Structures are given as structure tokens and as C-alpha cells.
Amino acid sequence: MEPRYRLRVYLLTALVLFGFGALLTRLYDFQINKREFYKGQVPGNRQITVREPGIRGTIKDRNGIELARNRRNYEVSFNLEEIHSAYRLQRDQDPTVDVETSDKGMPRVGTETDIVAIVKERVISPLGKLGLLRDFNAEAMRVHYKTHGGLVPFTYTTDLDYDQFAKFAEHSLEIPGVYLNVRPQREYPYKALSCHTLGFLRQWSKGDIPEDAARKYGYQYVGDDRGVAGVEATLDDMLRGPEGWKQIVKSEKGKILGEVLVDAVDPGVGAEVTLTIDAEIQYLVSNALRRAGTAAGVVMDVRTGEILAMASVPDYDPNDFIPSITQAKKDEYDHNPHHPLIDRSISTFSPGSTFKVPTAIVGAIRGFAHRSYNCNGYVPYGNTKVRCWIAKKGGAHGGLPLPKAIQVSCNPYFMQLANAIGPKDMADGFRMLGFGEKTGIPVPGEDGGTVIGSREWQRKNPNERPTPVNMAFAAIGQGNSLASPLQLCAMVSCVANGGRYYRPRLVKRAVDRNGTPLIEDTPSLKVDLLKEGLKPADLELIREGMRMAVNVPGGTASRVKVPGYVVAAKTGTAQAEQAGSYQRHNAWTMAFAPYDEPRYAVVVMVREGKSGGAVAGPLVHLILRGLLSRDEGMKLPLHPLDPVPGALEAIEEIPLPEDVLAAIDATEADGETGDEAAEAATAAGIVNPNPKLSEPPVLPQPTIKPEADAEGTVTPRNNRSRDR
């Protein structure tokens, strides 16, 4: 064959092969890659897959009482893309609405499909004839359609009872794009009880939708609500149940013909979480704290480190956030100056003389338990005198052993002891007792606090070294010292049980739907002080001092006394911050009981309490009295709690029952005021030794329920929808 003909054959062959390759490529694209798309364009029945979110696990107290559970929620949602498609089957053009756009920074007016007008014609009008109208937010619907199209359903209403839902179900098949669902909705049956520990949920948002959702589910994707506060947040992965899905058969006109259940997968249930919290004790503590304006309280089992109650006031109702919070309610919480969303039981405050107990423990470990110090009414540091609270009466305690110093809460004793111990040993000892670091309980927002020489103190004061005055302030819980009620309660539990510091436990156990343990019910021992050099006899001196503070005349904690029982306690009053010319105070009392066989440790902190003994002491008494009475067989009450807004007014005293007042000795000591360190600091030229209350932390933002606008108001009823 001649060369010129051979070349032509080669070119023709190449063209044929190229043409077949292009044809095969396009065929593969149509038949494989876009098969589902073109299949959906063919008139006839088709199946679509709908995702169903998992069922969230329950949260129970230690006795099986449900604190967070799910209830049946009847929901009506719209697939806006399906409604639009059904409209176009009968109309050549869409209604439009003017919208503002921007072109190179210049505002312009354009048009877009008016999905609200389409929904009103295709859906709202038929629903009106059935008497099933609800108000909705038209602007939210437009934004939802532009954002999600038909992938994410627009929730029309959840404000349905069973009869209304049944009526919807009877006629929904006649209206394309309308879906009815029965989904679990979170519920907190005891309202504000343990709200800070439980937390709340936030609806899933656009950012929670995975990239492959459109390919996998095609039409409807319903995400999982997410925990953003409390245990709901920290254990969110455990509590979320596995997703499910179902296939729905639809006609070419978008009408639902039925469900194919053969391939359906039911959503799974998340883990069941059991807290160490005892709901009855939680109710007892919460009610006691309501006698004060702003306060926190913790109760622990000294034998295991389990937290039996952890409460803070003011508080909130987590049901307000489910499924979404109204703007009015959110403003109410946000504008409350007492910040009800903050959990004060894990926030840190100036601890005052409660820090004399850990100072005594560290001193005993270092061999100072049997040393006496003299109180002349003050301790001089250069030209500065840090006085004892008794000096305001013109007195002095004289020579004191350790138990007596704890009983009368003598400032000079512990200031001299701290300087004898030294900065490094004080810092190491306090860290061993859990101060200056987080306890690690599974609740977001816990503050680790500050103690002299700690990492946090060094971070805030990089160029400073502890001075004798700093050490004196640290020993009496002033200056830069900060601790939380939970930290102090864990420390008191250690004193009560003989020197074993258990890490505080909030979650008792968690099991998945198959019964497999996810969190074991096992106490966690952080340190045994007896193995760190603390002698049992020396620890008994500290315990004896706390017993004397309650039961021996002249003690500062006599108002904690419970008739028929021996209780040990220590009070504290700290100057917390300067508010103009006015000094704010924290009133503390920590206690354990019964003395010989301890079971409970209790700590109460009251903001703006003028005296630890007269303000926090009576609250600890009420809590211990309830606990010990229950041990004798009395049934403690348990009811839903409405939230309280809180207050921050000076409290001079919280009254006690007459029988308790009669048992209190008339020689009860007044105790520290918290002003002594501030006076000394002023004289020494130290600026603001008492830390000002820090700004409230950034709190998780809930989903806000959009109000019905004028355009979406279709009935006099003031029902509102929410946009997922």
C-alpha cells in the first residue's frame, strides 16, 4: 500500500477510536455518574432516602431517677424543593421577590424565586381549609431555601398534640412536600434542678452537615442536636445515638405513596449515663442556697469522692433551650447581672480562712503539727502589720497549738506557719491537695484557681517571687488565692476520711445500648497523705480543731451544730473585690459529719455574705440536718425547681431554727472579716491584693427561635416555628 493511503487509514482509525472513546465517556457519565439524577427526571414512582437522627441517651441520678430524658415530639416539616417542583408542574413561571445584592461593593436590587408565595399557595392554603395553620417566619424560610434547598427540611411546627398530628397525617399525603415525624425531644423533668451539671442542647446547624449528605440522602437530612453545656456537652459523643434512615416512595407529582420498610434502619439509642448526683440531696442543697442571693454548694461522699450534689444560684431552666430559646428568654438570661448560666460551684473565689486547713495539712506533712505560735493581735512584716480579726476588739489569742488555732481561726498562727513551711513546699503541698489545677470532672468551664507559687500564679506574675507578705496572705486565703467550692469539698473529704484524696467523681457509670461499660464505677485515688509523710496523729489534730470550731465555746462555726451529732467545720470570710468605696465579701463554711464515722463533706460559699459563721454556717447546718435525718429514715422531698434570678445584696445573717439557736453557746466567736489582709496591703502599698471578680466566661450560644413575622402570620394564633 502506498504511504499516502496508509496515512489516511491511520488517521481514519484514530478518528474512529477517538469518537468511540468520547461516546463511551459520555455514556459512562450519563449511565453511571448521573444515573440517579436522570432517573429522577423520568416520570414515575421513585424512592428517596431520609436520614433520622439517633435517639439521645438518658441521664439519671445515682438511684435511677431520670434527670434528662426524651419525650415524643410531633413535628411537621416542609421539603421546600419538592413544593417548588410540584408548583412548576402547573406553572410556567415562578413568583419573584425583590432582593438586595452587591456588585463590586455597589448595592443593587435583583429578583429571586419567592418560595414563601409558593408555599402559601401550594401548602398553606390547603392546610387552612383543614384548620391546621401555624404562624411561621417568612424570612427564615427564604434563607433556609437558599441555604439548604431540599436537603434539609424546614420545620413548620412542633406545636401539635396527638389529635392534631393525627389530622395532619390523615391529609398530608395529599400535599406534596409535607412530612410528618415523631421524633424524640430532650426534656428535663425537674427543670432548674442540677441545671449547671446537666447543661442543655443546641440544634444542629449548617456546619454540622457532612459533605456527602446530598449524595447519600438526596432529599432530607435531619441532624443531631448537640450538647453545648454541662454533661450534655462533655459526654455528647456517648449520649448521641447511631443514625437511622428510611426510604419513602413518591409519585412523579411528589405525593407520598408509602414507605418501604424492608431497607429501613431504625435510629439507635445513645449511652445511658448515671451520675453520682443524688436528686434528693441536690434538691435539699438547691433549696438551702435559695435562702441566699448568689451562692454555691457541694456535697461529697468522703469514702469514694463521689459528688452527691453540686448546686449554684442563680440558675436556669434547660427546657427553655429546647428545641430553641426565644429571643425574649435569651435576653432575660443575658441581661441578668448575676449571670445565671455560670456554675459557681466550679468557679473560683477568694477562699478566706478555709485555706488555713490546707496550710495546716502541709505544715503537718513538713513536721510543724506540734509547733505553737504566739498571737499578739498582729504579725509585723517590715513596717506593715497584718492583724488578727480579734485585734479589732483590742485582744490577742496568745500562744496557740494547732487545734486551738483552727478553732478560733487565728490569722497570726497560720501566717507564721506558712512562712516556716516556705514557698516551694507550700506550692507543692497545695497542688497535692488539688488547688491551682482543675479537678477534671466532665463539665466544661471549670476553673483551676490560683495559689501562691502555682503555675497559674507564676503565669500571672512572671517577674515576682513569693515574699513573706505573700505567704501570709496565702495562708489565710487572701491576696491572689482563688479556689472553688468543689476543690475545697474534695480537700475536706480528705481530712474526714483519714488522709485519702479521691478525685471528685461526677459520672458514676455509663453503658452503651448493648450494656457494654463505657465508664466504670471505680473510685480514683489521687494521693494518700499518710504515704506522703502525714502522721495519723497529726491529721487528728486538724480534725480536732475543726470539731472544736463547732462544739467548744469560742469556736467560729457553732451555727453548723446539729443536735444529736458531732460535726466538724471551718468557716471563712474573704474580701473578694472592691466595688468603688464598698467592699464585697465571700462567706464560706466547710464541714464533715458524723465526726467518728464521716460520710458527708459539705461546702457552701455565699457571695456578699458578711460572715462565714453567720451566713454560710446556717446553710451547711440545714444541709447536714437533712442528710443525717435521711440516714435515720426520713424521706427527703423531690420536686421540679423553678429557676431563681439571684441577688447580690449584703447578708448579715441567715436565721436558724430555735432549737439550734438554743444549743449554740453564747461565747461564739465572730471570726475573721476578710478585711485584715486588705488593710495590711494598703499600708504596705500593695495594689489590689484581693483579685477582682473576673469577667464572666464566654458561654455557649443556643439556637434562637425566630419570631413569626408579619408576612408569615396566617392565623391569629401566636405559634412560632423554628428554622433548623
Side-chain angles (χ1 to χ4, degrees):
M1 181 181 292
E2 294 184 12
R4 68 173 181 269
Y5 293 115
R6 185 179 297 114
L7 177 61
R8 291 175 183 176
V9 171
Y10 290 159
L11 288 174
L12 180 61
T13 302
L15 288 172
V16 171
L17 291 175
F18 177 79
F20 271 107
L23 180 61
L24 289 173
T25 300
R26 294 296 291 166
L27 284 173
Y28 182 86
D29 189 45
F30 284 118
Q31 295 291 330
I32 305 300
N33 291 339
K34 298 181 179 179
R35 179 176 182 273
E36 294 300 323
F37 172 78
Y38 289 107
K39 185 178 177 182
Q41 304 302 309
V42 178
N45 298 342
R46 65 186 188 278
Q47 297 176 0
I48 62 173
T49 303
V50 178
R51 182 188 189 272
E52 294 189 307
I55 301 171
R56 202 167 182 85
T58 58
I59 303 175
K60 301 181 178 181
D61 87 330
R62 64 188 300 112
N63 299 312
I65 296 174
E66 293 182 341
L67 301 177
R69 64 190 182 193
N70 304 305
R71 64 178 177 86
R72 296 171 70 88
N73 179 45
Y74 301 106
E75 178 183 272
V76 178
S77 61
F78 298 159
N79 186 308
L80 300 179
E81 186 63 45
E82 287 188 17
I83 296 172
H84 187 193
S85 298
Y87 179 87
R88 289 303 301 270
L89 291 175
Q90 299 178 351
R91 300 287 193 278
D92 294 331
Q93 293 183 342
D94 293 338
T96 59
V97 62
D98 293 338
V99 294
E100 291 187 1
T101 60
S102 177
D103 183 13
K104 297 181 180 181
M106 299 297 293
R108 298 181 59 185
V109 177
T111 61
E112 65 179 28
T113 297
D114 189 353
I115 189 64
V116 174
I118 293 173
V119 169
K120 283 185 175 182
E121 179 179 334
R122 296 290 302 174
V123 179
I124 300 299
S125 180
L127 292 180
K129 297 176 182 178
L130 299 173
L132 298 173
L133 291 182
R134 295 291 187 273
D135 292 345
F136 64 96
N137 187 297
E139 183 59 29
M141 180 180 288
R142 290 192 178 95
V143 172
H144 184 95
Y145 184 58
K146 287 192 293 185
T147 304
H148 303 299
L151 176 60
V152 179
F154 176 84
T155 301
Y156 177 56
T157 182
T158 58
D159 182 22
L160 295 175
D161 57 29
Y162 178 78
D163 292 337
Q164 293 169 329
F165 181 79
K167 192 172 182 180
F168 256 110
E170 183 181 355
H171 299 281
S172 64
L173 296 179
E174 305 168 3
I175 310 174
V178 176
Y179 289 84
L180 286 86
N181 304 288
V182 181
R183 293 200 177 99
Q185 180 170 295
R186 207 56 162 172
E187 179 183 43
Y188 303 91
Y190 292 97
K191 302 173 75 172
L193 184 73
S194 204
C195 60
H196 296 99
T197 299
L198 296 172
F200 56 87
L201 307 180
R202 182 172 66 191
Q203 289 179 353
W204 63 281
S205 59
K206 179 183 177 182
D208 300 327
I209 303 176
E211 294 182 359
D212 64 344
R215 177 184 59 80
K216 186 175 181 181
Y217 295 105
Y219 272 79
Q220 292 203 28
Y221 182 92
V222 180
D224 300 274
D225 292 343
R226 184 162 55 93
V228 292
V231 173
E232 293 275 29
T234 52
L235 302 185
D236 186 62
D237 290 341
M238 289 186 188
L239 289 166
R240 287 195 203 183
E243 69 178 18
W245 54 268
K246 63 182 178 181
Q247 289 186 322
I248 298 177
V249 180
K250 307 201 101 185
S251 71
E252 60 185 81
K253 294 183 178 181
K255 291 185 178 181
I256 301 173
L257 300 180
E259 294 185 2
V260 178
L261 299 179
V262 176
D263 295 328
V265 174
D266 292 332
V269 181
E272 178 180 285
V273 174
T274 300
L275 303 179
T276 60
I277 296 293
D278 187 309
E280 292 182 353
I281 298 177
Q282 183 77 21
Y283 184 80
L284 170 69
V285 174
S286 297
N287 267 323
L289 296 182
R290 276 159 164 70
R291 294 172 177 256
T294 301
V298 180
V299 178
M300 291 179 63
D301 185 334
V302 305
R303 301 164 296 187
T304 62
E306 293 178 342
I307 300 170
L308 302 178
M310 191 166 67
S312 174
V313 293
D315 46 21
Y316 64 92
D317 185 351
N319 292 297
D320 290 337
F321 299 86
I322 308 298
S324 54
I325 191 170
T326 64
Q327 186 65 55
K329 180 58 71 172
K330 183 178 185 298
D331 290 343
E332 179 183 327
Y333 285 137
D334 289 347
H335 297 159
N336 186 330
H338 311 303
H339 308 294
L341 298 183
I342 294 178
D343 185 355
R344 288 166 173 81
S345 64
I346 57 174
S347 301
T348 55
F349 306 90
S350 299
S353 289
T354 59
F355 254 28
K356 292 173 182 176
V357 173
T359 301
I361 294 173
V362 178
I365 292 175
R366 302 306 173 190
F368 298 108
H370 296 275
R371 183 175 295 187
S372 296
Y373 291 99
N374 189 59
C375 171
N376 294 321
Y378 63 89
V379 176
Y381 294 99
N383 296 325
T384 303
K385 294 181 179 180
V386 183
R387 66 180 175 86
C388 186
W389 64 267
I390 201 172
K392 66 183 178 181
K393 296 183 176 182
H397 288 121
L400 295 171
L402 178 57
K404 188 67 176 180
I406 294 175
Q407 177 204 354
V408 298
S409 194
C410 177
N411 285 345
Y413 180 97
F414 291 97
M415 291 187 289
Q416 294 174 78
L417 175 60
N419 277 286
I421 296 170
K424 184 179 185 305
D425 286 345
M426 277 283 284
D428 292 343
F430 270 67
R431 188 179 304 114
M432 183 170 58
L433 294 171
F435 298 105
E437 59 186 24
K438 298 179 181 180
T439 66
I441 64 168
V443 174
E446 183 184 12
D447 193 347
T450 306
V451 294
I452 192 77
S454 69
R455 296 185 184 93
E456 182 66 15
W457 183 84
Q458 292 173 344
R459 186 184 67 82
K460 293 179 178 179
N461 307 276
N463 299 319
E464 290 188 26
R465 294 293 180 268
T467 65
V469 175
N470 292 144
M471 299 301 298
F473 287 169
I476 61 175
Q478 294 280 179
N480 290 310
S481 299
L482 293 171
S484 70
L486 178 60
Q487 289 174 325
L488 285 165
C489 198
M491 183 273 298
V492 174
S493 296
C494 177
V495 174
N497 67 28
R500 295 178 299 280
Y501 184 100
Y502 288 103
R503 289 186 176 87
R505 293 177 58 213
L506 183 60
V507 179
K508 191 170 181 67
R509 60 181 172 273
V511 296
D512 65 15
R513 56 178 176 166
N514 299 317
T516 304
L518 302 176
I519 297 178
E520 300 282 357
D521 183 11
T522 306
S524 176
L525 181 66
K526 177 185 178 183
V527 63
D528 187 342
L529 297 182
L530 300 185
K531 295 180 180 180
E532 299 296 327
L534 180 63
K535 299 176 182 178
D538 293 346
L539 177 60
E540 192 57 37
L541 293 177
I542 299 171
R543 287 165 47 88
E544 174 65 9
M546 295 180 67
R547 184 198 69 81
M548 293 166 60
V550 178
N551 301 283
V552 175
T556 62
S558 60
R559 295 177 189 239
V560 182
K561 185 180 300 182
V562 178
Y565 290 90
V566 178
V567 178
K570 179 71 188 78
T571 62
T573 310
Q575 186 189 104
E577 61 176 308
Q578 177 83 27
S581 60
Y582 179 71
Q583 303 291 346
R584 295 194 184 279
H585 295 78
N586 299 326
W588 296 82
T589 294
M590 56 187 190
F592 67 86
Y595 183 78
D596 293 327
E597 296 182 1
R599 293 193 296 276
Y600 306 111
V602 180
V603 171
V604 167
M605 185 279 302
V606 178
R607 291 279 290 143
E608 201 57 290
K610 288 295 187 178
S611 165
V615 177
L619 300 181
V620 171
H621 161 83
L622 294 173
I623 293 169
L624 282 174
R625 192 168 189 175
L627 291 171
L628 298 171
S629 296
R630 191 175 79 153
D631 288 347
E632 294 177 353
M634 186 187 80
K635 176 69 174 176
L636 290 179
L638 176 61
H639 305 289
L641 273 178
D642 290 323
V644 292
L648 199 58
E649 299 174 354
I651 304 173
E652 297 289 342
E653 179 182 8
I654 291 180
L656 278 171
E658 292 297 328
D659 62 327
V660 180
L661 290 172
I664 296 176
D665 193 279
T667 59
E668 174 191 24
D670 294 333
E672 62 288 319
T673 65
D675 298 329
E676 301 84 13
E679 294 168 359
T682 301
I686 300 174
V687 179
N688 191 24
N690 297 299
K692 183 177 177 61
L693 187 65
S694 61
E695 293 297 319
V698 177
L699 298 169
Q701 293 301 307
T703 304
I704 302 174
K705 180 185 296 184
E707 301 290 330
D709 53 22
E711 191 176 357
T713 301
V714 293
T715 172
R717 288 171 56 100
N718 192 26
N719 298 303
R720 300 180 178 91
S721 65
R722 61 185 172 94
D723 183 11
R724 286 190 183 274

